[in-house]
């Protein structure tokens, strides 16, 4: 592979040396074509001289500042490529300067020929190489690892598939609380309460359960008071006489604790009615 790369480079150097002999002018032909396009576009640029090589150029409703001494334009095309932009070419036309002279030196034919001037010498065949008597360079030793070789690649956390289907949710981004003080963003080593010997705080789940129970008891204190009042009134009221029992039908009710509907009047020939009469 190295021999192939070397042969390609040597052939490229030779072809470039032959091309340079056919070219004319101070700059390379591709750069010259690009410069001619900029000269055509400069016909729509109108410069106004401000003095000391500074111009204000208007083109397509926009203004650009050109500094010939600094070789700079506010469009920044000249600074990036080293080829004069259309705005600067219009200024050079006003100053009667050839724009080819202001192209960067790296695009000149003399520098291009220097880059491909040297020849890459070919090498002899491996059989004719001189033996230096050095140590043989061997490949690294292969270590047989234990277990079966892995065939599948390691999947990313977001690619792991759960047993029940779908993607497995990672714990990335979750806030972990310290069990000793219930404070987030630190562990046992950074817990100040644990270092000072303070007692452990109660778990957060138990505290929430106790709070829910206390709030429920505080919101419903009235039913217990009403039940006590009903019990006292039943004790103070006199019981009905036997005549009232015989004359009026007895109505039995079920308390609201069981949420049962009211029971109607007893039938006169029922078992309970006959036992009470006796």
């Amino acid at each position: 592979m190295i021999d192939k790369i070397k042969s390609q480079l040597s052939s490229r150097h030779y072809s470039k040396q032959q091309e340079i002999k056919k070219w004319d002018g101070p700059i390379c032909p591709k750069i010259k074509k690009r410069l001619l396009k900029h000269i055509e576009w400069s016909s729509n640029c109108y410069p106004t001289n401000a003095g000391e090589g500074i111009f204000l150029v208007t083109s397509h409703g926009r203004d650009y500042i050109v500094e010939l001494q600094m070789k700079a334009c506010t469009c920044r095309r000249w600074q990036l490529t080293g080829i004069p932009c259309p705005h600067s070419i219009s200024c050079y036309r006003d100053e009667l300067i050839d724009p080819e002279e202001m192209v960067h030196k790296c695009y000149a034919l003399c520098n291009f020929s220097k880059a491909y001037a040297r020849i890459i010498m070919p090498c002899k065949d491996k059989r004719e190489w001189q033996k230096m008597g050095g140590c043989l360079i061997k490949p690294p030793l292969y270590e047989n690892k234990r277990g079966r070789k892995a065939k599948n690649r390691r999947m990313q956390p977001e690619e792991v598939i759960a047993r029940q289907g779908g993607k497995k949710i990672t714990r990335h981004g979750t806030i972990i609380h310290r069990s000793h003080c219930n404070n987030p963003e630190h562990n046992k080593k950074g817990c100040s309460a644990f270092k000072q010997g303070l007692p452990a705080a109660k778990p957060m789940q138990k505290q929430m359960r106790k709070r829910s129970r206390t709030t429920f008891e505080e919101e419903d204190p009235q039913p217990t008071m009403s039940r006590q009042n009903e019990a006292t009134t039943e004790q103070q009221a006199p019981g009905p006489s036997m005549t009232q029992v015989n004359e009026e039908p007895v109505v039995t009710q079920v308390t609201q604790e069981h949420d049962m509907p009211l029971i109607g009047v007893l039938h006169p020939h029922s078992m309970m009615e006959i036992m009470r009469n006796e």
Side-chain angles (χ1 to χ4, degrees), residues 2 132 136 197 207 215:
I2 295 171
M132 304 301 295
L136 294 172
Q207 290 180 1
T215 52

Side-chain angles (χ1 to χ4, degrees), residues 197-266:
L198 298 175
K202 295 180 180 180
M204 296 179 67
Q205 294 180 357
K206 293 183 179 179
Q207 290 180 1
M208 294 295 290
R209 289 175 183 175
K210 288 182 179 179
R211 286 177 186 174
S212 61
R213 289 177 182 175
T214 52
T215 52
F216 179 77
E217 290 176 358
E218 290 174 2
E219 289 175 0
D220 194 16
Q222 295 180 0
T224 55
M225 296 294 293
S226 62
R227 290 169 189 170
Q228 291 178 2
N229 294 331
E230 290 175 3
T232 52
T233 52
E234 287 177 0
Q235 291 177 2
Q236 293 176 3
S241 59
M242 293 299 292
T243 57
Q244 292 177 355
V245 171
N246 294 329
E247 294 176 358
E248 296 179 359
V250 178
V251 179
T252 58
Q253 295 182 356
V254 181
T255 58
Q256 295 180 359
E257 291 179 358
H258 300 286
D259 297 331
M260 294 291 290
L262 296 173
I263 299 173
V265 181
L266 289 173

Side-chain angles (χ1 to χ4, degrees), residues 158-169:
E158 60 271 9
E159 295 178 349
V160 178
I161 300 171
R163 294 180 180 178
Q164 298 178 356
K167 293 184 178 179
K168 189 176 181 181
I169 299 172

Side-chain angles (χ1 to χ4, degrees), residues 61-124:
R62 295 187 65 178
D63 296 336
Y64 301 93
I65 298 170
V66 179
E67 298 180 8
L68 298 180
Q69 295 180 358
M70 301 295 294
K71 294 183 178 180
C73 179
T74 53
C75 70
R76 292 185 60 81
R77 190 177 296 172
W78 194 4
Q79 295 93 303
L80 293 171
T81 59
I83 303 168
C85 62
H87 316 112
S88 62
I89 290 170
S90 63
C91 300
Y92 283 130
R93 187 185 297 153
D94 191 20
E95 294 290 328
L96 301 176
I97 299 172
D98 189 6
E100 288 186 2
E101 297 177 0
M102 307 310 295
V103 178
H104 199 270
K105 295 179 180 179
C106 66
Y107 300 118
L109 277 177
C110 59
N111 293 324
F112 190 84
S113 61
K114 286 179 183 178
Y116 295 98
R118 295 185 179 181
I119 298 169
I120 298 173
M121 295 297 294
C123 294
K124 297 179 181 179

Side-chain angles (χ1 to χ4, degrees), residues 11-31:
S11 62
R12 178 181 173 82
H13 274 245
Y14 178 75
S15 62
K16 293 296 179 182
Q17 288 173 6
Q18 298 299 319
E19 287 179 6
I20 292 166
K21 295 177 182 179
K22 300 177 183 178
W23 295 345
D24 295 329
I27 58 175
C28 299
K30 289 184 179 180
I31 306 302

Side-chain angles (χ1 to χ4, degrees), residues 177-184 186 191-194 197-208 210-211:
H177 292 74
R178 173 80 173 97
S179 60
H180 186 80
C181 59
N182 293 332
N183 291 329
H186 70 276
C191 185
S192 59
F194 181 75
L198 298 175
K202 295 180 180 180
M204 296 179 67
Q205 294 180 357
K206 293 183 179 179
Q207 290 180 1
M208 294 295 290
K210 288 182 179 179
R211 286 177 186 174

